[in-house]
Amino acid sequence: MRVKESMVGLTPYQPGKPIEEVKRELGLDEVIKLASNENPYGCSPRVEKAIQEAFKDIAVYPDGYARALREKTAEMLDVTEDQLIFGNGSDEVILILCRSVLTAEDNIVTATPTFPQYRHNAVIEGTEVREVPLTDGVHDLDAMLEAIDEHTKMVFVCNPNNPSGTYVNAKAFETFIEQVPEDVLVISDEAYFEYVSAEDYPDTLPLLKQFPNLLILRTFSKAYGLASLRVGYGVGHPDLIRAIDPGREPFNTNSMAQAAALSALDDEEFIQACHDKNKQEMKKYEDFCHNNGFAFYPSQANFILMNLNKPGGEIFDYLLSKGFITRNGEALGFPTSVRITLGTPEQNDKIITELTKWLV
């Protein structure tokens, strides 16, 4: 079978190694996964009951409009219901955008390294990808502006950025979007929004009234702890949402995901607790780096990218042998680094102990 030319050479997204696979391969009884930026504290206790209720109607198609979740999310964000589009994770909203907007005559502008699905979905559409290197781990917005031309359809700003964990501040983002041509979409991917503590992080929602070319992406997969259920959303101008919605598959968010997300929104205390614990645990990794002379990017997410001055594959293999699944920095564009998702206090203490014994 022949696939279209743009697909040749592409590889599927590579997630972190599954726990059971590592146990079998290495003969380990315990394996701790700190690779995929999942919430180590799970999800709100309210979610289980909501899923059990939704399970009763498992033979019935889900609400394709996600009305209840749409109403609740709109209320929480203080936007109108027609400003929202839901996806099977925010990844699918990226796919819908690219599917609906991009052609072979267009280009997109992104940072590099950043979340790979921007590039991946654009390449499938035959679109040119213009990648602008990070500066000190942060998006170089001036250089990204220079990369925009009359064929640019979208600019992606991953904020906080994955894999560096860094962020674009409010002043820089607002200056940037003011200079982007009105016919170019600016996508602010805020998957880690709930973990941010920086006081000068952009408040993008009010900007929607001024910039109809802005689309904000958020997800229930990270702080809300619903990664396996896959539900995320985009927030934008009603005209933009209306234009791209035909690119969305029918019934793309399942009933259990909608019910779980709806109940998770009601538990603000759980999200705040996760935010606070994440901030406390981040200090352990920062102290480890400071005390031992290792460089790292200050992170506003639930992971940290540390330069440990050894090949990323070597770091990954060592930690794997000790029962920790992490992300090899070589695969992320940082060849002497490792990216570690923050776990529970006990998990973080264990991995830092192993790193200390090996590296120091």
Side-chain angles (χ1 to χ4, degrees):
M1 177 187 295
R2 294 182 62 186
V3 298
K4 59 184 183 180
E5 189 175 342
S6 62
M7 294 286 291
V8 177
L10 283 181
T11 57
Y13 179 79
Q14 298 296 318
K17 291 175 74 72
I19 289 175
E20 292 305 317
E21 180 181 328
V22 174
K23 284 183 176 179
R24 286 196 306 271
E25 287 180 359
L26 301 181
L28 298 172
D29 294 326
E30 181 186 24
V31 172
I32 298 170
K33 183 183 177 188
L34 301 174
S36 299
N37 306 336
E38 296 146 333
N39 188 338
Y41 308 106
C43 60
S44 166
R46 304 182 187 194
V47 167
E48 182 178 356
K49 182 178 180 181
I51 290 177
Q52 290 174 342
E53 288 297 316
F55 189 78
K56 296 176 182 177
D57 295 322
I58 200 168
V60 179
Y61 281 113
D63 175 4
Y65 188 67
R67 180 172 296 281
L69 180 58
R70 181 180 298 271
E71 291 174 351
K72 185 73 175 181
T73 306
E75 179 185 0
M76 178 187 73
L77 301 179
D78 192 24
V79 299
T80 57
E81 294 175 26
D82 57 358
Q83 287 184 262
L84 294 168
I85 184 169
F86 288 89
N88 186 38
S90 56
D91 306 53
E92 193 198 19
V93 182
I94 296 168
L95 183 153
I96 292 168
L97 269 172
C98 293
R99 178 184 189 182
S100 303
V101 174
L102 297 178
T103 72
E105 286 72 44
D106 303 324
N107 68 66
I108 68 165
V109 176
T110 80
T112 185
T114 192
F115 186 51
Q117 293 306 99
Y118 313 143
R119 157 180 264 280
H120 185 87
N121 284 292
V123 168
I124 290 175
E125 301 304 327
T127 300
E128 177 191 356
V129 180
R130 298 184 173 183
E131 296 177 302
V132 177
L134 300 173
T135 299
D136 296 326
V138 182
H139 285 59
D140 186 341
L141 296 182
D142 290 337
M144 291 176 74
L145 277 172
E146 292 178 6
I148 296 173
D149 66 12
E150 67 274 16
H151 299 293
T152 304
K153 285 288 186 69
M154 298 183 201
V155 180
F156 287 90
V157 180
C158 189
N159 202 23
N161 186 49
N162 180 12
S164 61
T166 55
Y167 74 104
V168 170
N169 65 39
K171 182 178 180 180
F173 185 82
E174 290 175 24
T175 300
F176 173 72
I177 196 170
E178 286 170 356
Q179 297 177 77
V180 173
E182 294 179 359
D183 61 345
V184 176
L185 278 175
V186 177
I187 295 93
S188 180
D189 188 345
E190 302 175 5
Y192 301 93
F193 171 80
E194 290 80 10
Y195 288 112
V196 173
S197 58
E199 293 183 1
D200 60 346
Y201 182 81
D203 184 6
T204 48
L205 288 167
L207 296 177
L208 291 169
K209 296 178 181 178
Q210 185 179 352
F211 300 101
N213 61 326
L214 172 63
L215 184 78
I216 301 163
L217 298 178
R218 293 189 183 171
T219 184
F220 289 92
S221 295
K222 307 303 182 187
Y224 286 97
L226 303 181
S228 69
L229 292 175
R230 311 303 299 124
V231 57
Y233 59 92
V235 196
H237 191 278
D239 290 344
L240 170 61
I241 301 301
R242 193 176 304 112
I244 65 173
D245 196 46
R248 178 179 59 84
E249 294 294 328
F251 312 120
N252 63 327
T253 56
N254 67 73
S255 297
M256 284 186 283
Q258 291 181 31
L262 187 64
S263 64
L265 284 177
D266 284 329
D267 198 345
E268 295 180 9
E269 290 183 6
F270 174 80
I271 296 299
Q272 186 62 50
C274 291
H275 173 278
D276 294 344
K277 285 184 279 191
N278 185 76
K279 189 174 181 179
Q280 292 168 5
E281 293 304 301
M282 184 69 73
K283 191 174 185 304
K284 292 181 180 179
Y285 289 92
E286 293 174 345
D287 288 346
F288 165 76
C289 289
H290 285 309
N291 293 339
N292 297 290
F294 296 123
F296 67 96
Y297 289 117
S299 176
Q300 290 292 319
N302 67 332
F303 58 83
I304 186 168
L305 184 72
M306 303 185 296
N307 184 353
L308 302 183
N309 301 325
K310 287 182 178 287
E314 189 176 321
I315 305 166
F316 173 84
D317 289 340
Y318 172 79
L319 290 173
L320 195 65
S321 72
K322 300 299 180 180
F324 298 97
I325 306 172
T326 58
R327 288 306 293 264
N328 179 350
E330 291 175 330
L332 302 174
F334 297 90
T336 58
S337 297
V338 63
R339 192 194 72 190
I340 299 177
T341 303
L342 273 60
T344 64
E346 296 76 19
Q347 292 170 342
N348 297 325
D349 290 344
K350 284 182 180 180
I351 195 170
I352 289 173
T353 297
E354 290 294 347
L355 285 172
T356 303
K357 287 192 297 186
W358 184 50
L359 295 169
V360 179

